[in-house]
Amino acid sequence: MHDGSGRIVVQQLTKQFGAVVAVQNLSFVVEPGSVTGFLGPNGAGKTTTLRMLLGLVKPTAGSALINGVPFGGLGHPARVVGAVLEAQGFHPSRSARDHLRVYGAAIGVDDMRADHVLGLVGLAAAGNRSAGGFSLGMKQRLALATALLGDPQILVLDEPANGLDPEGIAWLRQFLQSYARAGRTVLISSHLLAEVEQTVDQVVIISHGQTRYNGPLENLRRSQASRVLVQPSDANGLMTALRAAEIYNVEALPDGRLAIGGVEAKQVADLALKAGVSVYGIEEERVNLEQLYFAMTNGQYQAAGPNQYGPPPGGGFGGPPGGGYQQQPGFPPSGGFPQQQPPSGGFPQQQYPPQQPGYPPPGGQQPPGYPPQQGYQPPQGFQQPGPGGFGGNA
């Protein structure tokens, strides 16, 4: 009997197809009460991992457990896991409602549940339409409705936003967050990094079939170096004040601003005030999920512009000489940029340490979820979960 925890635990999972190793020693945990993004390049092993999790592919080694047991060991799998690996499999001449009733009969839920889940996904008005005439976005909603038939504890969705318009993506974000806040587990695989960053609380990043990071998104952001961008009236005066405060990770940007690593904006503003330097603008710049993703999966991410965490052409302060800058393997460093004493005559050239095992460090407190999009009105038929959750008339 499964333990009912709602946890997904993948341990040392490996899958070989002949000479091809699709997944190698992959390990991660997905906790209930949060939306977890499963990220990685094409060919990284995401779909293969999800198929092993759902019992569709047999692992070569390791385990993928749901509520402490393999998928095949769940007593009523449709009531524990709702999954969508692709929005296909609809009989083209069958109505959306009848499609759901067929699946509902197979898992032992009554016909009323079909109407309930159609309302949940915003298809209440399209229930009598043939699925063959649906757009890709409507098929995605119908596939999600099929996964929700058993009122599952866990949702596993592969590219759920594929084909959705901006309104549909906003709706999906709100729906998944509401589902997770009701104590459910949500695992989504996606290539839409900007959207994932607004949706998820936790991330699992894999590359070449191995885990690169598993933990809260906010912890991942905090583990990376940030910079303060400041527009001073006197750059030399501010640099002198920074040097006196033993702050040496400074570079000049082409627009006249200084980029200062390893400090907070308030600290820079206080130093400028003490030095009598006017500040015309100051902000903190942090890496986003896309930059973190490229750094972990490619290792040789080429910065897109002079403000992308690298010195400007010509070297700058603390950076390599020459034109342009390419991030090195292991960037960004897990402990932030080092603060070093400069040699006489200038600022040091930063040396990034190699990537350490277990980088970046997981753990920490689970951050609060993103609030629902302000002013967003869900599609007709969408229902927020009530005190009883998403169960409805199961």
Side-chain angles (χ1 to χ4, degrees), residues 75-340:
H76 299 282
R79 295 182 179 272
V80 179
V81 183
V84 178
L85 296 188
E86 54 184 32
Q88 303 296 332
F90 309 118
H91 193 289
S93 62
R94 184 175 291 155
S95 70
R97 181 175 287 104
D98 286 345
H99 163 81
L100 293 171
R101 286 174 174 173
V102 168
Y103 274 78
I107 64 174
V109 300
D110 61 39
D111 288 350
M112 294 290 291
R113 181 66 179 168
D115 290 310
H116 181 73
V117 296
L118 282 172
L120 282 177
V121 302
L123 289 179
N128 292 325
R129 289 179 53 185
S130 298
F134 280 7
S135 66
L136 179 56
M138 293 178 71
K139 288 179 179 179
Q140 286 282 17
R141 291 174 184 258
L142 183 55
L144 178 57
T146 307
L148 293 170
L149 276 170
D151 188 23
Q153 182 183 27
I154 299 167
L155 279 179
V156 177
L157 309 176
D158 192 10
E159 299 288 350
N162 186 29
L164 295 180
D165 59 16
E167 181 186 15
I169 291 174
W171 163 80
L172 181 66
R173 180 196 312 139
Q174 186 181 32
F175 178 85
L176 295 179
Q177 290 173 341
S178 297
Y179 204 83
R181 301 301 172 259
R184 316 293 181 98
T185 304
V186 179
L187 175 63
I188 61 170
S189 170
S190 179
H191 288 100
L192 302 177
L193 298 181
E195 177 55 36
V196 167
E197 188 166 19
Q198 297 182 65
T199 304
V200 305
D201 312 302
Q202 313 275 330
V203 289
V204 176
I205 300 177
I206 69 171
S207 181
H208 302 293
Q210 297 181 317
T211 307
R212 301 303 183 193
Y213 178 79
N214 174 206
L217 176 58
E218 187 60 29
N219 283 10
L220 180 57
R221 289 195 188 104
R222 289 173 180 170
S223 71
Q224 309 309 309
S226 62
R227 305 190 306 179
V228 172
L229 305 180
V230 59
Q231 183 77 58
S233 61
D234 180 2
N236 289 330
L238 180 55
M239 285 190 290
T240 299
L242 292 168
R243 187 185 300 112
E246 300 184 349
I247 299 172
Y248 305 108
N249 189 359
V250 184
E251 68 182 62
L253 302 180
D255 59 7
R257 294 183 297 174
L258 297 180
I260 308 161
V263 296
E264 295 181 354
K266 180 179 182 299
Q267 184 180 4
V268 174
D270 289 344
L271 288 173
L273 178 63
K274 187 178 296 186
V277 176
S278 298
V279 172
Y280 303 133
I282 189 168
E283 63 178 302
E284 184 173 336
E285 181 185 60
R286 304 197 65 156
V287 290
N288 58 32
L289 180 58
E290 181 178 84
Q291 292 168 313
L292 296 168
Y293 171 87
F294 280 128
M296 290 183 187
T297 58
N298 290 348
Q300 291 289 331
Y301 173 57
Q302 178 68 43
N307 294 335
Q308 297 292 325
Y309 293 87
F317 294 91
Y325 178 77
Q326 189 175 38
Q327 303 203 13
Q328 302 300 315
F331 175 86
S334 59
F337 292 103
Q339 299 261 343
Q340 300 177 2

